[in-house]
Amino acid sequence: MTPHSFHHLDLNLLRVFDEVMAERSLTRAAHKLAITQPAVSNAMRRLREALGDELLVRHGQGIQPTPRALALWPAVRNALAQLQQTLAPNPFDPATATNTFVLAMADATASTLVPALYAIIEREAPGVSVRVVPLTTRDPRQLLEDGTADIAVGYFPAVLADLTAREQSGDVVGFENRRLYASAYICVMREGHPLAHVPLTLDNYCAARHMLVSFSGRSFGFIDESLAALGRKRQVVLTVNQFFTAGRVVVESDLLTILPRHFVPVTGMAGSLALRELPFSVPPVHVEALWRHRGPQASAGDWLLKALFRAAQTTFPLAP
């Protein structure tokens, strides 16, 4: 698109494009926009002609955005959101709000943050509801893109590195993040484990049998990456997707596992567990809130983010 052709572009087409991308359906987009489906199809045809790209292709029973559409959408959505906030702000009043928020987080994170978060909601926003859904990936961007969650909370080093690289290369990044607290992982075993009463060395750590907590089900995690950098590896014989499950299995077996240090006291199993520092270096664990650039509900999302941060400060007084 040339500067001249942009001057003739009907900007209403971008509003249709945004809704179609959000819904991944012409029919649902038409319903949300209160126009007919042929009108949506016509708008998308005009935008395709203006941009010189198909934008959407058929995929099974639905539609799939092209790479160009996926690249354009964050910038279009952010621009429309800023315009709407300027022209028609929608202030959020927690005392009278009835919003439902969806948070994606692991069980260890939820058990730490949700009690303090609920206390804030009960006191300041009694009409607000929160649903916590399992975090099943270390890259929750798709969950946020498709609206499955409003905010994801967890340890996302690869995602943050990718977002930083994109920003530095001049790409439009449709996500924001804020650190909630710092934590550390620790080796956990049952109190009567043979390694519970001897120094935990790299050799006996690698020789032991291990359980891995993996949200995605992969049997190779960041601990294994750290070991590989040392030319070592461990034997993972069991993979689960919850930290609490890992704690229960460790109590009744000779497996070793890795748990967030702050999670152990809230499991109810601390008296049956032996904790040992890892005999090698691992990166620090920074728990982040990650969210997509928000549209009309920006003020509601801002309130939720601040409530999460306050909950983290309550639980971790030294949180950044």
Side-chain angles (χ1 to χ4, degrees):
M1 173 170 282
T2 66
H4 175 75
S5 60
F6 177 78
H7 292 157
H8 294 84
L9 177 67
D10 182 353
L11 298 183
N12 287 319
L13 303 181
L14 300 180
R15 178 72 181 90
V16 176
F17 170 71
D18 175 56
E19 206 63 64
V20 171
M21 289 293 290
E23 296 295 328
R24 296 295 199 271
S25 164
L26 300 183
T27 301
R28 291 196 297 270
H31 178 74
K32 293 288 288 292
L33 292 165
I35 60 177
T36 65
Q37 182 173 331
V40 171
S41 298
N42 182 56
M44 292 303 299
R45 176 187 59 77
R46 292 170 58 198
L47 189 59
R48 287 198 301 270
E49 293 172 353
L51 298 179
D53 187 88
E54 283 299 307
L55 298 179
L56 300 168
V57 295
R58 291 199 174 278
H59 182 72
Q61 299 298 313
I63 55 177
Q64 180 173 303
T66 65
R68 178 84 185 281
L70 291 171
L72 285 173
W73 188 34
V76 170
R77 191 170 186 84
N78 192 40
L80 291 173
Q82 290 183 6
L83 186 61
Q84 179 158 348
Q85 275 300 108
T86 301
L87 299 178
N90 184 22
F92 176 79
D93 179 8
T96 59
T98 57
N99 302 57
T100 296
F101 297 110
V102 182
L103 301 175
M105 59 181 78
D107 59 327
T109 311
S111 65
T112 303
L113 286 182
V114 170
L117 176 63
Y118 177 70
I120 294 172
I121 292 172
E122 186 177 39
R123 182 173 64 251
E124 300 178 12
V128 163
S129 300
V130 172
R131 288 194 296 116
V132 178
V133 298
L135 182 65
T136 57
T137 175
R138 288 291 186 192
D139 186 350
R141 284 176 287 186
Q142 189 59 51
L143 296 176
L144 301 170
E145 284 282 15
D146 62 23
T148 302
D150 297 301
I151 298 179
V153 181
Y155 178 49
F156 310 126
V159 173
L160 300 189
D162 180 60
L163 295 179
T164 298
R166 289 172 180 267
E167 286 181 343
Q168 292 175 344
S169 65
D171 291 347
V172 175
V173 176
F175 298 89
E176 298 179 63
N177 66 282
R178 182 175 183 180
R179 185 169 302 169
L180 296 179
Y181 61 90
S183 184
Y185 283 106
I186 194 161
C187 180
V188 177
M189 63 194 79
R190 67 178 177 86
E191 183 60 40
H193 192 284
L195 296 180
H197 305 290
V198 298
L200 185 61
T201 66
L202 181 59
D203 285 340
N204 57 29
Y205 179 86
C206 292
R209 292 160 63 84
H210 295 263
M211 173 172 42
L212 170 67
V213 180
S214 170
F215 302 150
S216 65
R218 292 179 63 241
S219 58
F220 190 89
F222 73 95
I223 293 293
D224 303 283
E225 293 173 356
S226 296
L227 287 172
L230 299 173
R232 306 296 294 268
K233 62 181 181 178
R234 60 177 179 167
Q235 184 183 9
V236 175
V237 299
L238 179 63
T239 302
V240 299
N241 64 357
Q242 290 185 326
F243 289 109
F244 185 82
T245 300
R248 289 298 310 162
V249 173
V250 162
V251 167
E252 300 177 14
S253 72
D254 277 342
L255 296 179
L256 306 187
T257 196
I258 303 297
L259 295 180
R261 184 190 297 272
H262 68 267
F263 177 59
V264 176
V266 303
T267 61
M269 298 177 278
S272 302
L273 297 173
L275 280 56
R276 295 292 182 271
E277 298 291 341
L278 289 166
F280 52 92
S281 297
V282 295
V285 179
H286 295 143
V287 176
E288 308 272 347
L290 182 72
W291 67 95
R292 191 180 65 184
H293 285 312
R294 290 184 283 267
Q297 297 301 314
S299 58
D302 288 343
W303 180 86
L304 176 62
L305 178 64
K306 291 175 182 176
L308 269 172
F309 188 71
R310 289 160 56 198
Q313 288 185 310
T314 298
T315 308
F316 300 94
L318 298 180

